[in-house]
mmCIF file with all atom_site columns, all heavy atoms in Angstrom:
data_model
loop_
_atom_site.group_PDB
_atom_site.id
_atom_site.type_symbol
_atom_site.label_atom_id
_atom_site.label_alt_id
_atom_site.label_comp_id
_atom_site.label_asym_id
_atom_site.label_entity_id
_atom_site.label_seq_id
_atom_site.pdbx_PDB_ins_code
_atom_site.Cartn_x
_atom_site.Cartn_y
_atom_site.Cartn_z
_atom_site.occupancy
_atom_site.B_iso_or_equiv
_atom_site.pdbx_formal_charge
_atom_site.auth_seq_id
_atom_site.auth_comp_id
_atom_site.auth_asym_id
_atom_site.auth_atom_id
_atom_site.pdbx_PDB_model_num
ATOM 1  N N   . ILE A 1 103 ? 127.044 -37.797 92.295  1.00 52.00 ? 250 ILE A N   1
ATOM 2  C CA  . ILE A 1 103 ? 128.409 -38.012 91.933  1.00 52.00 ? 250 ILE A CA  1
ATOM 3  C C   . ILE A 1 103 ? 129.111 -38.922 92.935  1.00 52.00 ? 250 ILE A C   1
ATOM 4  O O   . ILE A 1 103 ? 130.075 -39.451 92.692  1.00 52.00 ? 250 ILE A O   1
ATOM 5  C CB  . ILE A 1 103 ? 129.161 -36.673 91.795  1.00 52.00 ? 250 ILE A CB  1
ATOM 6  C CG1 . ILE A 1 103 ? 128.511 -35.895 90.670  1.00 52.00 ? 250 ILE A CG1 1
ATOM 7  C CG2 . ILE A 1 103 ? 130.583 -36.941 91.486  1.00 52.00 ? 250 ILE A CG2 1
ATOM 8  C CD1 . ILE A 1 103 ? 129.021 -34.462 90.508  1.00 52.00 ? 250 ILE A CD1 1
ATOM 9  N N   . ALA A 1 104 ? 128.533 -38.987 94.227  1.00 50.00 ? 251 ALA A N   1
ATOM 10 C CA  . ALA A 1 104 ? 129.152 -39.826 95.281  1.00 50.00 ? 251 ALA A CA  1
ATOM 11 C C   . ALA A 1 104 ? 129.515 -41.226 94.733  1.00 50.00 ? 251 ALA A C   1
ATOM 12 O O   . ALA A 1 104 ? 128.717 -41.929 94.147  1.00 50.00 ? 251 ALA A O   1
ATOM 13 C CB  . ALA A 1 104 ? 128.301 -39.928 96.451  1.00 50.00 ? 251 ALA A CB  1
ATOM 14 N N   . PRO A 1 105 ? 130.865 -41.617 94.967  1.00 52.00 ? 252 PRO A N   1
ATOM 15 C CA  . PRO A 1 105 ? 131.285 -42.953 94.479  1.00 52.00 ? 252 PRO A CA  1
ATOM 16 C C   . PRO A 1 105 ? 130.622 -44.146 95.168  1.00 52.00 ? 252 PRO A C   1
ATOM 17 O O   . PRO A 1 105 ? 130.385 -44.035 96.446  1.00 52.00 ? 252 PRO A O   1
ATOM 18 C CB  . PRO A 1 105 ? 132.774 -42.927 94.773  1.00 52.00 ? 252 PRO A CB  1
ATOM 19 C CG  . PRO A 1 105 ? 133.029 -41.830 95.861  1.00 52.00 ? 252 PRO A CG  1
ATOM 20 C CD  . PRO A 1 105 ? 131.906 -40.985 95.650  1.00 52.00 ? 252 PRO A CD  1
ATOM 21 N N   . SER A 1 106 ? 130.236 -44.939 94.365  1.00 51.00 ? 253 SER A N   1
ATOM 22 C CA  . SER A 1 106 ? 129.551 -46.111 94.900  1.00 51.00 ? 253 SER A CA  1
ATOM 23 C C   . SER A 1 106 ? 130.404 -47.338 95.215  1.00 51.00 ? 253 SER A C   1
ATOM 24 O O   . SER A 1 106 ? 129.983 -48.305 95.835  1.00 51.00 ? 253 SER A O   1
ATOM 25 C CB  . SER A 1 106 ? 128.254 -46.572 94.019  1.00 51.00 ? 253 SER A CB  1
ATOM 26 O OG  . SER A 1 106 ? 128.868 -46.910 92.753  1.00 51.00 ? 253 SER A OG  1
ATOM 27 N N   . SER A 1 107 ? 131.570 -47.345 94.858  1.00 53.00 ? 254 SER A N   1
ATOM 28 C CA  . SER A 1 107 ? 132.504 -48.416 95.022  1.00 53.00 ? 254 SER A CA  1
ATOM 29 C C   . SER A 1 107 ? 133.028 -48.396 96.387  1.00 53.00 ? 254 SER A C   1
ATOM 30 O O   . SER A 1 107 ? 133.539 -49.428 96.833  1.00 53.00 ? 254 SER A O   1
ATOM 31 C CB  . SER A 1 107 ? 133.695 -48.369 94.038  1.00 53.00 ? 254 SER A CB  1
ATOM 32 O OG  . SER A 1 107 ? 134.368 -47.146 94.268  1.00 53.00 ? 254 SER A OG  1
ATOM 33 N N   . GLN A 1 108 ? 133.082 -47.344 97.163  1.00 53.00 ? 255 GLN A N   1
ATOM 34 C CA  . GLN A 1 108 ? 133.489 -47.197 98.509  1.00 53.00 ? 255 GLN A CA  1
ATOM 35 C C   . GLN A 1 108 ? 132.528 -47.823 99.490  1.00 53.00 ? 255 GLN A C   1
ATOM 36 O O   . GLN A 1 108 ? 131.344 -47.540 99.345  1.00 53.00 ? 255 GLN A O   1
ATOM 37 C CB  . GLN A 1 108 ? 133.961 -45.905 98.910  1.00 53.00 ? 255 GLN A CB  1
ATOM 38 C CG  . GLN A 1 108 ? 135.067 -45.228 98.164  1.00 53.00 ? 255 GLN A CG  1
ATOM 39 C CD  . GLN A 1 108 ? 135.363 -43.832 98.689  1.00 53.00 ? 255 GLN A CD  1
ATOM 40 O OE1 . GLN A 1 108 ? 134.713 -43.282 99.410  1.00 53.00 ? 255 GLN A OE1 1
ATOM 41 N NE2 . GLN A 1 108 ? 136.509 -43.312 98.080  1.00 53.00 ? 255 GLN A NE2 1
ATOM 42 N N   . PRO A 1 109 ? 132.916 -48.638 100.476 1.00 54.00 ? 256 PRO A N   1
ATOM 43 C CA  . PRO A 1 109 ? 131.941 -49.205 101.443 1.00 54.00 ? 256 PRO A CA  1
ATOM 44 C C   . PRO A 1 109 ? 131.463 -48.028 102.224 1.00 54.00 ? 256 PRO A C   1
ATOM 45 O O   . PRO A 1 109 ? 132.000 -47.065 102.597 1.00 54.00 ? 256 PRO A O   1
ATOM 46 C CB  . PRO A 1 109 ? 132.762 -50.146 102.225 1.00 54.00 ? 256 PRO A CB  1
ATOM 47 C CG  . PRO A 1 109 ? 134.208 -49.740 102.046 1.00 54.00 ? 256 PRO A CG  1
ATOM 48 C CD  . PRO A 1 109 ? 134.281 -49.046 100.759 1.00 54.00 ? 256 PRO A CD  1
ATOM 49 N N   . ALA A 1 110 ? 130.127 -48.093 102.573 1.00 54.00 ? 257 ALA A N   1
ATOM 50 C CA  . ALA A 1 110 ? 129.464 -47.176 103.389 1.00 54.00 ? 257 ALA A CA  1
ATOM 51 C C   . ALA A 1 110 ? 129.976 -47.210 104.792 1.00 54.00 ? 257 ALA A C   1
ATOM 52 O O   . ALA A 1 110 ? 130.304 -48.338 105.318 1.00 54.00 ? 257 ALA A O   1
ATOM 53 C CB  . ALA A 1 110 ? 128.067 -47.308 103.403 1.00 54.00 ? 257 ALA A CB  1
ATOM 54 N N   . ALA A 1 111 ? 130.113 -46.132 105.464 1.00 54.00 ? 258 ALA A N   1
ATOM 55 C CA  . ALA A 1 111 ? 130.534 -46.041 106.956 1.00 54.00 ? 258 ALA A CA  1
ATOM 56 C C   . ALA A 1 111 ? 129.444 -46.762 107.776 1.00 54.00 ? 258 ALA A C   1
ATOM 57 O O   . ALA A 1 111 ? 128.269 -46.538 107.460 1.00 54.00 ? 258 ALA A O   1
ATOM 58 C CB  . ALA A 1 111 ? 130.907 -44.635 107.417 1.00 54.00 ? 258 ALA A CB  1
ATOM 59 N N   . PRO A 1 112 ? 129.819 -47.501 108.737 1.00 53.00 ? 259 PRO A N   1
ATOM 60 C CA  . PRO A 1 112 ? 128.877 -48.275 109.563 1.00 53.00 ? 259 PRO A CA  1
ATOM 61 C C   . PRO A 1 112 ? 127.987 -47.014 110.351 1.00 53.00 ? 259 PRO A C   1
ATOM 62 O O   . PRO A 1 112 ? 128.594 -46.061 110.767 1.00 53.00 ? 259 PRO A O   1
ATOM 63 C CB  . PRO A 1 112 ? 129.730 -49.017 110.521 1.00 53.00 ? 259 PRO A CB  1
ATOM 64 C CG  . PRO A 1 112 ? 131.108 -48.506 110.420 1.00 53.00 ? 259 PRO A CG  1
ATOM 65 C CD  . PRO A 1 112 ? 131.177 -47.837 109.092 1.00 53.00 ? 259 PRO A CD  1
ATOM 66 N N   . ASN A 1 113 ? 126.816 -47.281 110.473 1.00 54.00 ? 260 ASN A N   1
ATOM 67 C CA  . ASN A 1 113 ? 125.920 -46.285 111.090 1.00 54.00 ? 260 ASN A CA  1
ATOM 68 C C   . ASN A 1 113 ? 125.886 -46.850 112.569 1.00 54.00 ? 260 ASN A C   1
ATOM 69 O O   . ASN A 1 113 ? 125.075 -47.633 112.950 1.00 54.00 ? 260 ASN A O   1
ATOM 70 C CB  . ASN A 1 113 ? 124.559 -46.275 110.410 1.00 54.00 ? 260 ASN A CB  1
ATOM 71 C CG  . ASN A 1 113 ? 123.625 -45.305 110.983 1.00 54.00 ? 260 ASN A CG  1
ATOM 72 O OD1 . ASN A 1 113 ? 124.093 -44.565 112.127 1.00 54.00 ? 260 ASN A OD1 1
ATOM 73 N ND2 . ASN A 1 113 ? 122.444 -45.183 110.394 1.00 54.00 ? 260 ASN A ND2 1
ATOM 74 N N   . SER A 1 114 ? 126.553 -46.032 113.414 1.00 48.00 ? 261 SER A N   1
ATOM 75 C CA  . SER A 1 114 ? 126.748 -46.458 114.905 1.00 48.00 ? 261 SER A CA  1
ATOM 76 C C   . SER A 1 114 ? 125.448 -46.232 115.527 1.00 48.00 ? 261 SER A C   1
ATOM 77 O O   . SER A 1 114 ? 124.990 -46.848 116.408 1.00 48.00 ? 261 SER A O   1
ATOM 78 C CB  . SER A 1 114 ? 127.662 -45.806 115.493 1.00 48.00 ? 261 SER A CB  1
ATOM 79 O OG  . SER A 1 114 ? 127.547 -44.270 115.515 1.00 48.00 ? 261 SER A OG  1
ATOM 80 N N   . ALA A 1 115 ? 124.620 -45.298 115.065 1.00 49.00 ? 262 ALA A N   1
ATOM 81 C CA  . ALA A 1 115 ? 123.316 -44.970 115.729 1.00 49.00 ? 262 ALA A CA  1
ATOM 82 C C   . ALA A 1 115 ? 122.247 -46.148 115.493 1.00 49.00 ? 262 ALA A C   1
ATOM 83 O O   . ALA A 1 115 ? 121.510 -46.385 116.308 1.00 49.00 ? 262 ALA A O   1
ATOM 84 C CB  . ALA A 1 115 ? 122.762 -43.513 115.159 1.00 49.00 ? 262 ALA A CB  1
ATOM 85 N N   . ALA A 1 116 ? 122.495 -46.709 114.326 1.00 49.00 ? 263 ALA A N   1
ATOM 86 C CA  . ALA A 1 116 ? 121.524 -47.932 114.082 1.00 49.00 ? 263 ALA A CA  1
ATOM 87 C C   . ALA A 1 116 ? 121.945 -49.132 114.845 1.00 49.00 ? 263 ALA A C   1
ATOM 88 O O   . ALA A 1 116 ? 121.037 -49.938 115.156 1.00 49.00 ? 263 ALA A O   1
ATOM 89 C CB  . ALA A 1 116 ? 121.489 -48.171 112.534 1.00 49.00 ? 263 ALA A CB  1
#
Side-chain angles (χ1 to χ4, degrees):
I250 299 173
S253 59
S254 61
Q255 294 180 354
N260 186 354
S261 59

